[in-house]
Amino acid sequence: MMIADPETVQASPQSSLETGVEPAAGPEELIIIPVRDVVLLPGTVTPITIGREVSVAAAQQAVREERQVGILMQRDPKLDEPTAIDLHRMGAVANILRYISAPDGTHHIVLQGEQRFRVIDFVKERPYIVARVQRFSDPETLTPAIEARFRFLQQQAVEAFGLMPQAPRELAESVQSIPYPGVLADVVAAYLDIGGDARQELLETLDIPARIDKVTKLLSERLEVLRLTHEIGQQTKAAFDERQREAILREQMAAIQRQLGEGDTRVEESREISEKIAAAKMPKEVDELARKELARYQRMPEGAAEAGPLRTYLDWLTELPWALPDPKPIDIAEARRILDADHFGLPKIKQRIVEYLAVRKLAPGGKAPILCFAGPPGVGKTSLGQSIARAMGRAFVRVSLGGVHDEAEIRGHRRTYVGAMPGNIVQAIRKAGSRDCVMMLDEIDKMGAGIQGDPAAAMLEVLDPEQNFSFRDNYLGLPFDLSHVVFIATANMLDAIPGPLRDRMEIITLAGYTEDEKFEIAKRYLVARQLEANGLKPEQVRIEDEALGRVIRDYTREAGVRGLEREIGRALRHAAMKIAEGSADHVEITADGLTEILGPALYENETAMRTSVPGVATGLAWTPVGGDILFIEAARSPGRGALTLTGQLGEVMRESAQAAMTLVKSQAASFGVAPDIFEKSDIHIHVPAGATPKDGPSAGVAMFIALVSLLSDRTVRSDTAMTGEISLRGLVLPVGGIKEKVTAAARAGLKRVLLPARNRRDYDDIPEDARKRLEFVWLERVEDAVAAAFVGSAATETGQSTS
């Protein structure tokens, strides 16, 4: 903004009134440009940007005709298309000094305010606004009252512009050369930091003394702030040099507080920290260090860069639970009740947890083992930890280790780093507020080493009862006793946990749920939880038992129940929509109506279809999310005895296929296979789902049976699945994951499973529901598998059956 030359702002003939203004001769028509939050005052030069069609048309027409324009401010700046009623009636007549069209399509005009005007009426609004207006000019006559106000305002303006850091040096000199009081008031008001409404009020003030008084009041308030700011700047400049900009800002803040009478807060702050140190009941070593750091904090100057980090360190020391709370008695009967109320089934898991709690009750100071719940997602590992915390009456806190690849996430950062913080272990204890909390280390198998170190190595000290009584966090720099924390870890895959870390934990395996267990879990927990989550009441929606069974069989295929809960939620949301619309007061979700709600069934029992031809056998596989069934397909084509393997098989699985082929060749006659068939045929073994990598020796029996089925033209029983490793001598060797594999067989609707005889030790781990639904055939040799696998066959004496 600039000051217009006072000589160019000419006054029209005035009346004899000394303090008022008289309208200029006769009304005239004036092109109007509406603006937002901009008030142009006479005597000033202001650039503005115009973009609306009305404003652009008005400016262009005024430039073409070399006419003046009227600038009116909108009452509501948010309006994009203001009409006449939306504009103020008082504005400023302006000359367009320059019109600029920018390359980006915007338009800019430079305006010089000349004199005030008032709208009498509006002549037209399109294509631009035209109004009949009456101009007003300020009087030139100076009375003693006006002159006194004029001189005082001029003196204040010179001082204020001299203190403004952004004001040009020539501005004060220009103010001294303004001869007219009204122009001076308008120019000073243009440079004051006031809102558009206040400027509009000054524009509408025609009385010169009143206008000068208003501007003088506003300028006095601004001048007081400028003087105080200048004084503070002079005080702080004497104490600090240019290289301490941050310290300057802090000192200015302190100087402002002193001016306001608030005083120095450091003494009160130090007293509060000292009281917290006394109340924290720290060990002697920690207490001495905390008081030493507090004394150092008190000696620091106000703007010291170390003051903030040191205060944060003292806060951490005082807020950690150093003192051990009084032990709470463990009620074993109540613990059983809590576990039964929170979880269905899992009898062995619950029994082991109760044993763990019993040991903690009898030996509170003993070094209890660190439990690790291992199993597929959605089987209740994390909720078991919450139940243990409830049974022990302790605080529960969860630390997610998934994706952690920095050792500092466990041990913390050293205080020399900017933004240093303690590790997740110390942070969790502070959050729990207790040194004997139950800490769930979730997804411990998802940690990974990176360039910042190996967090699994840092966990070795945390999970070792022989060492964790003096765990040392890098940020604290002091030993912290973790021996009273009850650590519980969870994992999906044990193979991903380093051996030394796995050796420090007692592994408790949670297998997938059977269909009956899922049904009970859904009825007892999932339906009620989803009813509450969707704002429904039990009397409004009912899901039939048969519908729940269909959801389990046809819409989910998982070891846990997370997918099942999602599908139940989908069904309940469909009911909630009907109830919210008012089309129904009560909704029954039936098995027949599931297709309309959830769509077609996602899974079907394809075992019978896949094993209805020779050369196809059903195997059992272990996956990180539970067991699954695996189809082995074999096909024969004319050739010279080549063996082809497909299905993204690992090296061990390929070797199992080659061993099975060699075994069939060596004993072809005993299996009903023509010996010359190998010389005339190529054999292709394929495991479907080729996008999924597969490996391990467990498919040896299934590959052997598929080859015998193909070459002897016999069909494998469609209700039978098998697993086991084979040797070239024909022995069936034991494999792992029997519990998960048998559970998958029961879930898939199979009736019989062929298992290695040396896996009988795993029979008790199989869920009771799966044992009731399946017939078990124990295999010593591959001949037992041949006798039991094909249609019309029965178990031999060595391959005994257990129902």
Side-chain angles (χ1 to χ4, degrees):
M1 181 177 296
M2 296 177 289
I3 302 174
D5 184 358
E7 297 298 327
T8 64
V9 185
Q10 300 293 337
S12 299
Q14 306 296 318
S15 70
S16 61
L17 294 175
E18 296 178 346
T19 60
V21 263
E22 182 180 81
E28 64 174 300
E29 292 188 356
L30 197 62
I31 297 174
I32 302 298
I33 297 179
V35 293
R36 295 187 178 98
D37 285 331
V38 176
V39 177
L40 178 65
L41 295 170
T44 62
V45 176
T46 303
I48 64 171
T49 300
I50 56 176
R52 293 177 289 198
E53 294 180 2
V54 174
S55 301
V56 174
Q60 292 177 348
Q61 184 66 24
V63 170
R64 282 193 296 268
E65 297 179 3
E66 298 184 354
R67 292 177 56 184
Q68 293 179 324
V69 294
I71 306 300
L72 290 179
M73 188 177 72
Q74 300 176 199
R75 300 181 188 274
D76 184 359
K78 297 180 181 179
L79 292 177
D80 290 327
E81 297 293 335
T83 59
I85 198 174
D86 300 317
L87 304 178
H88 286 280
R89 290 298 183 267
M90 182 69 78
V93 178
N95 296 315
I96 299 180
L97 301 181
R98 192 171 183 183
Y99 183 100
I100 303 171
S101 296
D104 59 355
T106 59
H107 301 267
H108 310 272
I109 54 176
V110 180
L111 302 173
Q112 178 189 27
E114 183 175 305
Q115 59 186 154
R116 288 167 170 78
F117 74 90
R118 179 181 286 119
V119 176
I120 300 174
D121 58 14
F122 289 89
V123 177
K124 67 174 182 177
E125 294 187 16
R126 293 293 176 182
Y128 50 83
I129 301 174
V130 178
R132 294 178 63 249
V133 303
Q134 184 72 53
R135 300 193 186 202
F136 299 92
S137 297
D138 294 335
E140 298 179 352
T141 305
L142 290 180
T143 66
I146 295 178
E147 185 173 4
R149 289 177 170 86
F150 171 68
R151 299 302 175 193
F152 181 73
L153 177 60
Q154 197 172 46
Q155 179 182 353
Q156 281 193 317
V158 170
E159 181 182 0
F161 293 149
L163 293 175
M164 288 182 180
Q166 73 276 13
R169 185 177 302 176
E170 299 79 15
L171 183 60
E173 299 175 2
S174 300
V175 167
Q176 290 179 318
S177 64
I178 296 177
Y180 306 116
V183 175
L184 177 65
D186 291 338
V187 169
V188 173
Y191 278 91
L192 288 178
D193 187 14
I194 58 177
D197 293 336
R199 292 180 190 273
Q200 182 67 30
E201 182 181 354
L202 290 173
L203 183 67
E204 295 178 0
T205 304
L206 300 179
D207 185 63
I208 300 299
R211 190 192 311 166
I212 295 177
D213 288 343
K214 290 180 181 180
V215 175
T216 301
K217 181 180 178 181
L218 294 171
L219 182 59
S220 298
E221 297 173 355
R222 177 62 176 163
L223 187 58
E224 187 65 27
V225 175
L226 291 172
R227 287 170 181 167
L228 184 58
T229 303
H230 182 72
E231 181 182 350
I232 293 172
Q234 292 297 323
Q235 292 175 357
T236 55
K237 185 177 180 180
F240 299 97
D241 58 24
E242 289 295 331
R243 293 173 296 177
Q244 295 175 309
R245 296 180 62 86
E246 180 180 336
I248 289 175
L249 295 176
R250 295 183 184 276
E251 186 64 22
Q252 285 182 337
M253 186 183 301
I256 292 172
Q257 290 176 341
R258 286 192 292 270
Q259 290 290 339
L260 295 176
E262 295 180 356
D264 192 357
T265 61
R266 180 63 67 87
V267 176
E268 180 68 21
E269 192 177 12
S270 300
R271 185 186 62 79
E272 293 178 359
I273 297 175
S274 181
E275 292 176 354
K276 289 181 179 179
I277 293 175
K281 299 179 181 179
M282 302 175 178
K284 182 179 179 181
E285 178 187 359
V286 182
D287 186 271
E288 291 176 353
L289 177 64
R291 295 190 181 279
K292 179 181 177 181
E293 294 293 332
L294 175 59
R296 190 161 71 93
Y297 177 68
Q298 292 171 333
R299 293 192 300 268
M300 284 184 177
E302 192 74 33
E306 294 183 25
L310 183 55
R311 171 59 197 270
T312 304
Y313 178 68
L314 290 171
D315 287 341
W316 274 101
L317 288 182
T318 55
E319 292 176 10
L320 283 174
W322 297 96
L324 191 65
D326 296 332
K328 297 180 181 179
I330 298 176
D331 188 340
I332 300 300
E334 177 66 10
R336 289 183 184 275
R337 187 196 66 78
I338 290 174
L339 290 172
D340 290 336
D342 292 349
H343 300 85
F344 175 79
L346 308 175
K348 292 187 177 181
I349 306 298
K350 293 178 181 177
Q351 180 64 25
R352 179 63 189 90
I353 292 174
V354 171
E355 292 172 359
Y356 173 84
L357 297 177
V359 173
R360 299 289 294 196
K361 178 178 181 179
L362 298 177
K367 298 174 181 177
I370 293 167
L371 303 181
C372 177
F373 296 134
V379 295
K381 299 185 294 296
T382 303
S383 59
L384 277 173
Q386 295 172 333
S387 299
I388 292 175
R390 286 181 55 201
M392 298 182 73
R394 299 189 182 186
F396 176 82
V397 63
R398 174 179 169 271
V399 177
S400 177
L401 298 178
V404 172
H405 55 80
D406 187 354
E407 181 186 356
E409 295 287 339
I410 307 299
R411 286 192 175 275
H413 306 81
R414 299 190 185 279
R415 283 198 290 150
T416 53
Y417 296 107
V418 176
M421 291 184 65
N424 288 336
I425 304 299
V426 173
Q427 290 187 43
I429 291 177
R430 179 191 181 184
K431 180 181 178 182
S434 174
R435 196 155 61 86
D436 64 347
C437 61
V438 176
M439 186 178 296
M440 172 70 75
L441 303 174
D442 216 2
E443 308 292 356
I444 198 170
D445 57 325
K446 304 299 190 301
M447 292 189 298
I451 59 174
Q452 296 89 359
D454 187 358
M459 290 296 297
L460 294 177
E461 182 183 0
V462 175
L463 299 183
D464 190 348
E466 301 294 334
Q467 303 179 47
N468 63 10
F469 65 89
S470 61
F471 173 71
R472 198 174 190 88
D473 186 276
N474 290 331
Y475 180 81
L476 297 180
L478 295 164
F480 192 88
D481 188 0
L482 300 178
S483 59
H484 294 274
V485 177
V486 178
F487 289 104
I488 300 173
T490 70
N492 296 131
M493 296 182 64
L494 295 176
D495 294 342
I497 305 176
L501 183 58
R502 188 166 64 245
D503 184 61
R504 282 164 166 76
M505 301 182 292
E506 178 181 340
I507 308 298
I508 298 178
T509 304
L510 284 75
Y513 294 114
T514 63
E515 186 175 318
D516 291 343
E517 288 175 332
K518 289 183 178 181
F519 179 79
E520 291 296 330
I521 292 171
K523 285 194 67 175
R524 298 187 185 194
Y525 308 106
L526 304 184
V527 173
R529 196 155 62 195
Q530 285 299 313
L531 283 172
E532 182 180 357
N534 291 286
L536 296 170
K537 297 179 180 178
E539 60 268 17
Q540 292 178 311
V541 182
R542 176 178 172 272
I543 302 180
E544 291 184 351
D545 292 350
E546 186 180 351
L548 276 180
R550 274 205 60 193
V551 173
I552 295 170
R553 289 188 305 272
D554 298 344
Y555 293 91
T556 62
R557 184 164 292 178
E558 55 178 346
V561 292
R562 284 195 183 132
L564 174 59
E565 184 173 3
R566 282 193 291 269
E567 296 301 322
I568 292 174
R570 286 180 59 196
L572 292 179
R573 286 193 295 273
H574 182 81
M577 179 184 65
K578 291 185 176 181
I579 293 174
E581 290 175 344
S583 59
D585 295 329
H586 178 81
V587 178
E588 290 276 345
I589 299 178
T590 63
D592 295 336
L594 280 180
T595 302
E596 178 185 352
I597 299 174
L598 302 181
L602 301 179
Y603 303 100
E604 60 181 5
N605 189 354
E606 59 179 6
T607 306
M609 178 186 68
R610 299 294 291 270
T611 58
S612 60
V613 296
V616 180
T618 305
L620 296 173
W622 180 92
T623 70
V625 294
D628 200 358
I629 59 174
L630 190 71
F631 296 103
I632 309 294
E633 299 177 347
R636 179 168 62 92
S637 60
R640 297 183 179 181
L643 176 62
T644 304
L645 305 173
T646 56
Q648 201 170 346
L649 308 183
E651 189 62 31
V652 176
M653 204 165 184
R654 288 177 173 272
E655 292 174 356
S656 295
Q658 293 168 354
M661 188 66 183
T662 301
L663 188 57
V664 173
K665 286 181 178 180
S666 64
Q667 303 182 33
S670 61
F671 299 139
V673 178
D676 60 344
I677 196 172
F678 301 103
E679 301 176 358
K680 303 176 182 179
S681 305
D682 288 341
I683 306 298
H684 185 167
I685 297 178
H686 176 66
V687 183
T692 305
K694 313 168 192 71
D695 201 3
S698 299
V701 171
M703 288 183 171
F704 172 79
I705 292 298
L707 289 172
V708 174
S709 171
L710 172 70
L711 299 174
S712 63
D713 201 24
R714 287 185 287 176
T715 303
V716 180
R717 291 182 58 163
S718 61
D719 61 351
T720 301
M722 60 206 73
T723 186
E725 183 179 2
I726 61 173
S727 72
L728 292 179
R729 293 177 294 163
L731 299 177
V732 178
L733 305 179
V735 293
I738 293 297
K739 182 180 181 180
E740 291 82 359
K741 292 175 181 178
V742 173
T743 302
R747 187 167 62 240
L750 298 170
K751 303 299 182 184
R752 301 166 76 235
V753 288
L754 312 185
L755 304 176
R758 291 165 62 183
N759 277 118
R760 284 180 183 270
R761 61 179 183 268
D762 299 313
Y763 181 77
D764 291 338
D765 294 334
I766 299 172
E768 184 177 355
D769 176 65
R771 284 185 285 179
K772 290 180 179 179
R773 295 168 57 182
L774 293 171
E775 176 187 350
F776 294 82
V777 179
W778 303 101
L779 309 176
E780 293 282 357
R781 298 185 57 83
V782 293
E783 290 83 356
D784 304 335
V786 173
F790 294 105
V791 174
S793 63
T796 63
E797 292 183 0
T798 56
Q800 297 176 12
S801 171
T802 303
S803 298

